[in-house]
Amino acid sequence: MGEPTVFVTDAPERQTLEAIANGLRDFNEEVTGISDHRPLAVVAQDPSTGETLGGAAGRTSLGLLFLDLFYLPQRLRGSGLGSRILAMAEEEGRSRGCRAAVLYTISFQAPGFYERHGWRIFGEVSRAIRPGRVGSS
């Protein structure tokens, strides 16, 4: 095998993403001996149409709950639905043996929402990174 071709894309194929995810999962399992990776979603659905309105999506792995996505349309915010979805995701994580959880949020999204539910900030990016300036201050 020659030198790998390396490129950037904004349209990775599903197989490409699966190869990366499976490789990392296999490596983690080899090192830790733990094979507990499972997807997780809590879905808010319109009862009359079945349309997905929002919810939370992530995974559990290595005893951690990862919340990757969380969205509700504006009309459903402030109704308690977000709190219910978060509680359901946390409960499912606990039922899978998770002892901690991780998520990323941006200042204009909902950091206060998570803090009100007992989540703590463990890291913060104080300013945006400008293109062409990655890694510099």
Side-chain angles (χ1 to χ4, degrees), residues 60-117:
T60 54
S61 180
L62 302 174
L64 293 169
L65 164 63
F66 295 89
L67 284 183
D68 299 321
L69 304 169
F70 198 132
Y71 171 77
L72 284 176
Q74 186 64 42
R75 71 182 189 280
L76 296 176
R77 296 177 195 166
S79 68
L81 182 60
S83 297
R84 185 170 155 210
I85 289 169
L86 184 60
M88 290 173 74
E90 291 172 342
E91 181 56 35
E92 180 62 21
R94 280 190 290 278
S95 76
R96 295 180 186 191
C98 296
R99 298 277 185 224
V102 178
L103 64 82
Y104 302 97
T105 190
I106 301 172
S107 62
F108 64 83
Q109 290 176 335
F113 169 79
Y114 300 110
E115 289 180 278
R116 286 191 301 277
H117 289 85

Coordinates of all heavy atoms in Angstrom, one line a residue, residues 60-117:
T60 N -24.2 6.3 24.2 CA -23.6 5.9 25.4 C -22.4 5.1 25.0 O -22.4 4.3 24.1 CB -24.5 5.2 26.4 OG1 -25.0 4.0 25.7 CG2 -25.6 6.1 26.8
S61 N -21.3 5.3 25.7 CA -20.0 4.6 25.4 C -19.1 4.7 26.6 O -18.9 5.8 27.1 CB -19.4 5.1 24.1 OG -18.2 4.4 23.8
L62 N -18.4 3.6 26.9 CA -17.4 3.7 28.0 C -17.9 4.3 29.3 O -17.2 5.0 30.0 CB -16.1 4.4 27.5 CG -15.5 3.8 26.2 CD1 -14.4 4.7 25.8 CD2 -15.0 2.4 26.5
G63 N -19.2 4.0 29.6 CA -19.8 4.5 30.8 C -20.1 6.0 30.8 O -20.3 6.6 31.8
L64 N -20.1 6.6 29.6 CA -20.5 8.0 29.5 C -21.7 8.2 28.6 O -21.8 7.5 27.6 CB -19.3 8.8 28.9 CG -18.0 8.9 29.7 CD1 -16.9 9.5 28.8 CD2 -18.3 9.8 30.9
L65 N -22.5 9.2 28.9 CA -23.6 9.6 28.0 C -23.1 10.8 27.3 O -22.6 11.8 27.9 CB -24.8 10.0 28.9 CG -25.9 10.8 28.2 CD1 -26.5 10.0 27.0 CD2 -26.9 11.2 29.2
F66 N -23.1 10.7 25.9 CA -22.7 11.9 25.1 C -24.0 12.4 24.4 O -24.7 11.7 23.7 CB -21.8 11.4 24.0 CG -20.4 10.9 24.5 CD1 -20.2 9.6 24.8 CD2 -19.4 11.8 24.6 CE1 -19.0 9.2 25.3 CE2 -18.1 11.4 25.0 CZ -18.0 10.0 25.4
L67 N -24.3 13.7 24.7 CA -25.4 14.3 24.0 C -24.8 15.1 22.9 O -24.2 16.1 23.1 CB -26.3 15.2 24.9 CG -27.2 14.5 25.9 CD1 -28.0 15.5 26.7 CD2 -28.1 13.5 25.1
D68 N -25.1 14.7 21.6 CA -24.5 15.4 20.5 C -25.4 16.4 19.9 O -24.9 17.4 19.4 CB -24.2 14.3 19.4 CG -23.2 13.3 19.9 OD1 -22.2 13.6 20.6 OD2 -23.3 12.1 19.5
L69 N -26.7 16.2 19.9 CA -27.6 17.1 19.4 C -28.8 17.3 20.3 O -29.3 16.3 20.9 CB -28.1 16.6 18.0 CG -27.1 16.3 16.9 CD1 -27.8 15.5 15.8 CD2 -26.5 17.6 16.4
F70 N -29.3 18.5 20.4 CA -30.5 18.8 21.2 C -31.2 20.0 20.6 O -30.7 21.0 20.5 CB -30.2 19.1 22.6 CG -31.3 19.0 23.6 CD1 -31.1 18.3 24.8 CD2 -32.6 19.5 23.4 CE1 -32.2 18.1 25.7 CE2 -33.6 19.4 24.3 CZ -33.4 18.7 25.5
Y71 N -32.5 19.8 20.1 CA -33.2 20.8 19.5 C -34.7 20.7 19.7 O -35.3 19.6 19.6 CB -33.0 20.8 17.9 CG -33.9 21.8 17.2 CD1 -33.6 23.1 17.2 CD2 -35.0 21.3 16.6 CE1 -34.4 24.0 16.6 CE2 -35.9 22.2 15.9 CZ -35.6 23.6 15.9 OH -36.4 24.4 15.3
L72 N -35.3 21.9 20.0 CA -36.7 22.0 20.0 C -37.1 23.3 19.2 O -36.4 24.3 19.4 CB -37.3 22.1 21.4 CG -37.4 20.8 22.2 CD1 -37.8 21.0 23.6 CD2 -38.3 19.8 21.5
P73 N -38.2 23.3 18.4 CA -38.6 24.5 17.8 C -39.0 25.6 18.8 O -39.5 25.2 19.9 CB -39.7 24.1 16.9 CG -40.1 22.8 17.3 CD -39.0 22.2 18.1
Q74 N -38.9 26.8 18.5 CA -39.2 27.9 19.4 C -40.5 27.7 20.1 O -40.7 28.0 21.3 CB -39.1 29.3 18.7 CG -39.3 30.5 19.6 CD -38.2 30.6 20.6 OE1 -37.0 30.4 20.2 NE2 -38.5 30.9 21.8
R75 N -41.6 27.3 19.4 CA -42.9 27.2 19.9 C -43.0 26.2 21.0 O -44.0 26.2 21.8 CB -43.9 26.9 18.8 CG -43.9 25.5 18.2 CD -44.9 25.3 17.1 NE -45.0 24.0 16.7 CZ -44.1 23.4 15.8 NH1 -43.1 24.1 15.3 NH2 -44.3 22.1 15.5
L76 N -42.1 25.3 21.1 CA -42.1 24.2 22.2 C -41.2 24.5 23.3 O -41.2 23.8 24.4 CB -41.8 22.9 21.6 CG -42.7 22.3 20.5 CD1 -42.2 21.0 20.0 CD2 -44.1 22.2 21.1
R77 N -40.4 25.6 23.2 CA -39.4 25.9 24.3 C -40.2 26.6 25.4 O -41.2 27.3 25.2 CB -38.4 26.8 23.8 CG -37.5 26.2 22.7 CD -36.5 27.1 22.1 NE -35.9 26.5 20.9 CZ -35.2 27.1 20.0 NH1 -34.9 28.4 20.2 NH2 -34.8 26.5 18.9
G78 N -39.7 26.4 26.6 CA -40.4 27.0 27.8 C -41.6 26.3 28.3 O -42.2 26.7 29.3
S79 N -41.9 25.1 27.7 CA -43.1 24.4 28.1 C -42.8 23.2 29.1 O -43.7 22.6 29.5 CB -43.7 23.8 26.8 OG -42.9 22.8 26.3
G80 N -41.5 23.0 29.3 CA -41.1 21.9 30.2 C -40.7 20.7 29.3 O -40.2 19.7 29.9
L81 N -41.0 20.7 28.0 CA -40.7 19.6 27.2 C -39.2 19.3 27.1 O -38.7 18.2 27.2 CB -41.2 19.8 25.8 CG -41.0 18.6 24.8 CD1 -41.7 17.3 25.3 CD2 -41.6 19.0 23.4
G82 N -38.4 20.4 27.0 CA -36.9 20.2 27.0 C -36.4 19.5 28.2 O -35.5 18.7 28.2
S83 N -36.9 20.0 29.4 CA -36.5 19.4 30.7 C -36.9 17.9 30.7 O -36.1 17.0 31.2 CB -37.2 20.1 31.8 OG -36.8 21.4 31.9
R84 N -38.1 17.6 30.2 CA -38.5 16.2 30.1 C -37.6 15.3 29.2 O -37.2 14.2 29.6 CB -39.9 16.1 29.6 CG -40.6 14.8 29.6 CD -42.0 14.9 29.4 NE -42.5 13.7 28.8 CZ -43.5 13.6 28.0 NH1 -44.2 14.6 27.6 NH2 -43.9 12.4 27.5
I85 N -37.2 15.9 28.0 CA -36.4 15.2 27.1 C -35.0 14.9 27.8 O -34.4 13.8 27.7 CB -36.3 15.9 25.8 CG1 -37.6 15.8 25.0 CG2 -35.1 15.4 24.9 CD1 -37.7 16.7 23.8
L86 N -34.4 16.0 28.4 CA -33.1 15.9 29.0 C -33.2 14.8 30.1 O -32.3 14.0 30.2 CB -32.7 17.2 29.6 CG -31.3 17.3 30.2 CD1 -30.2 16.9 29.2 CD2 -31.0 18.7 30.7
A87 N -34.2 14.8 31.0 CA -34.4 13.9 32.0 C -34.5 12.4 31.5 O -33.9 11.5 32.1 CB -35.6 14.2 32.9
M88 N -35.2 12.3 30.4 CA -35.3 10.9 29.8 C -33.9 10.4 29.3 O -33.6 9.3 29.4 CB -36.3 10.9 28.7 CG -37.8 11.1 29.2 SD -39.0 11.3 27.9 CE -39.1 9.6 27.3
A89 N -33.2 11.3 28.6 CA -31.9 11.0 28.1 C -30.9 10.6 29.3 O -30.2 9.6 29.3 CB -31.2 12.1 27.3
E90 N -31.0 11.4 30.4 CA -30.1 11.1 31.5 C -30.5 9.8 32.2 O -29.6 9.0 32.5 CB -30.3 12.2 32.6 CG -29.7 13.5 32.1 CD -30.0 14.7 33.0 OE1 -30.9 14.6 33.8 OE2 -29.3 15.7 32.9
E91 N -31.8 9.5 32.3 CA -32.3 8.3 32.9 C -31.9 7.1 32.1 O -31.4 6.1 32.6 CB -33.8 8.3 33.1 CG -34.3 7.1 33.7 CD -33.7 6.7 35.1 OE1 -33.4 7.7 35.9 OE2 -33.5 5.5 35.4
E92 N -32.0 7.2 30.8 CA -31.6 6.1 29.9 C -30.1 5.9 30.0 O -29.6 4.7 30.1 CB -31.9 6.4 28.4 CG -31.5 5.3 27.5 CD -32.2 3.9 27.8 OE1 -33.2 3.8 28.4 OE2 -31.6 2.9 27.3
G93 N -29.3 7.0 30.1 CA -27.8 6.8 30.3 C -27.5 6.1 31.6 O -26.7 5.2 31.7
R94 N -28.2 6.5 32.7 CA -28.0 5.8 34.0 C -28.4 4.3 33.9 O -27.7 3.5 34.4 CB -28.9 6.4 35.1 CG -28.2 7.7 35.7 CD -29.0 8.2 36.9 NE -30.3 8.7 36.6 CZ -30.5 10.0 36.2 NH1 -29.5 10.8 36.0 NH2 -31.7 10.4 36.0
S95 N -29.5 4.0 33.2 CA -29.9 2.6 33.0 C -28.9 1.8 32.3 O -28.8 0.6 32.4 CB -31.3 2.5 32.4 OG -31.2 2.7 31.0
R96 N -28.1 2.5 31.4 CA -27.0 1.8 30.7 C -25.7 1.8 31.4 O -24.7 1.4 30.9 CB -26.8 2.5 29.3 CG -28.0 2.4 28.4 CD -27.8 3.1 27.1 NE -28.9 3.1 26.3 CZ -28.9 3.5 25.0 NH1 -27.8 3.9 24.4 NH2 -30.0 3.5 24.3
G97 N -25.7 2.3 32.7 CA -24.5 2.2 33.5 C -23.6 3.5 33.4 O -22.5 3.5 33.9
C98 N -24.1 4.5 32.8 CA -23.3 5.8 32.7 C -23.3 6.5 34.0 O -24.2 6.6 34.8 CB -23.9 6.7 31.7 SG -23.9 6.0 30.0
R99 N -22.1 7.0 34.4 CA -21.8 7.7 35.6 C -21.6 9.2 35.4 O -21.5 10.0 36.3 CB -20.6 7.1 36.3 CG -20.8 5.7 36.7 CD -21.5 5.6 38.0 NE -21.6 4.3 38.5 CZ -22.7 3.7 39.0 NH1 -23.8 4.4 39.0 NH2 -22.7 2.5 39.4
A100 N -21.4 9.6 34.1 CA -21.2 11.0 33.8 C -21.8 11.2 32.4 O -22.1 10.3 31.6 CB -19.7 11.3 33.8
A101 N -21.9 12.5 32.0 CA -22.4 12.9 30.7 C -21.6 14.1 30.2 O -21.1 14.9 31.0 CB -23.9 13.2 30.8
V102 N -21.6 14.2 28.8 CA -20.9 15.3 28.2 C -21.7 15.8 27.1 O -22.4 15.1 26.3 CB -19.5 14.7 27.6 CG1 -18.8 15.8 26.9 CG2 -18.7 14.1 28.7
L103 N -21.7 17.2 26.9 CA -22.3 17.8 25.8 C -21.6 19.1 25.5 O -20.8 19.6 26.3 CB -23.8 18.1 26.0 CG -24.2 19.1 27.1 CD1 -24.1 20.5 26.6 CD2 -25.7 18.8 27.5
Y104 N -21.7 19.6 24.3 CA -21.2 20.8 23.8 C -22.3 21.8 23.5 O -23.3 21.4 22.9 CB -20.3 20.7 22.6 CG -19.2 19.7 22.8 CD1 -19.3 18.4 22.4 CD2 -18.0 20.1 23.4 CE1 -18.3 17.4 22.6 CE2 -17.0 19.2 23.6 CZ -17.1 17.9 23.2 OH -16.1 17.0 23.4
T105 N -22.2 23.0 24.0 CA -23.2 24.0 23.6 C -22.5 25.3 23.4 O -21.3 25.5 23.8 CB -24.3 24.1 24.7 OG1 -25.3 24.9 24.3 CG2 -23.7 24.7 26.0
I106 N -23.2 26.2 22.7 CA -22.6 27.5 22.4 C -23.4 28.6 23.2 O -24.5 28.4 23.5 CB -22.7 27.8 20.9 CG1 -22.0 26.7 20.1 CG2 -22.2 29.1 20.5 CD1 -22.1 26.7 18.6
S107 N -22.7 29.7 23.5 CA -23.3 30.7 24.3 C -24.7 31.1 23.9 O -25.5 31.5 24.7 CB -22.4 31.9 24.4 OG -22.2 32.5 23.2
F108 N -25.0 31.2 22.6 CA -26.4 31.6 22.2 C -27.3 30.4 22.1 O -28.5 30.6 21.8 CB -26.3 32.3 20.8 CG -25.8 31.4 19.7 CD1 -26.7 30.5 19.0 CD2 -24.5 31.4 19.3 CE1 -26.3 29.7 18.0 CE2 -24.0 30.6 18.3 CZ -24.9 29.7 17.6
Q109 N -26.9 29.2 22.4 CA -27.8 28.1 22.4 C -28.5 28.0 23.8 O -29.4 28.8 24.1 CB -27.1 26.8 22.0 CG -26.7 26.8 20.6 CD -25.8 25.6 20.2 OE1 -25.2 25.0 21.0 NE2 -25.9 25.3 18.9
A110 N -28.1 27.1 24.7 CA -28.8 27.0 26.0 C -27.9 26.6 27.1 O -28.3 25.7 27.9 CB -29.9 25.9 25.8
P111 N -26.8 27.2 27.3 CA -25.9 26.8 28.5 C -26.7 26.9 29.8 O -26.5 26.1 30.7 CB -24.7 27.6 28.4 CG -25.1 28.8 27.5 CD -26.1 28.3 26.6
G112 N -27.5 27.9 30.0 CA -28.2 28.1 31.2 C -29.2 27.0 31.5 O -29.5 26.6 32.6
F113 N -29.8 26.5 30.4 CA -30.8 25.4 30.5 C -30.1 24.2 31.2 O -30.6 23.6 32.1 CB -31.3 25.1 29.1 CG -32.1 23.8 29.1 CD1 -33.4 23.7 29.5 CD2 -31.5 22.6 28.5 CE1 -34.1 22.5 29.4 CE2 -32.2 21.4 28.5 CZ -33.5 21.4 28.9
Y114 N -28.9 23.9 30.6 CA -28.2 22.7 31.2 C -27.7 23.0 32.6 O -27.8 22.1 33.5 CB -27.0 22.4 30.3 CG -27.4 22.0 28.9 CD1 -27.2 22.9 27.8 CD2 -28.2 20.9 28.6 CE1 -27.6 22.6 26.5 CE2 -28.6 20.6 27.3 CZ -28.3 21.4 26.3 OH -28.7 21.1 25.0
E115 N -27.3 24.2 32.9 CA -26.8 24.5 34.3 C -28.0 24.4 35.2 O -27.8 23.9 36.4 CB -26.2 25.9 34.3 CG -24.8 25.9 33.6 CD -24.2 27.3 33.7 OE1 -24.6 28.1 32.8 OE2 -23.4 27.5 34.6
R116 N -29.2 24.8 34.8 CA -30.4 24.7 35.7 C -30.7 23.3 36.0 O -31.4 23.0 37.0 CB -31.6 25.4 35.1 CG -31.5 27.0 35.1 CD -32.8 27.6 34.8 NE -33.3 27.3 33.4 CZ -32.9 27.9 32.3 NH1 -32.0 28.8 32.4 NH2 -33.4 27.5 31.1
H117 N -30.3 22.4 35.2 CA -30.5 21.0 35.4 C -29.3 20.2 36.0 O -29.3 19.0 35.9 CB -31.0 20.3 34.0 CG -32.3 20.8 33.6 ND1 -32.6 21.9 32.9 CD2 -33.5 20.2 33.9 CE1 -33.9 22.1 32.7 NE2 -34.5 21.0 33.3

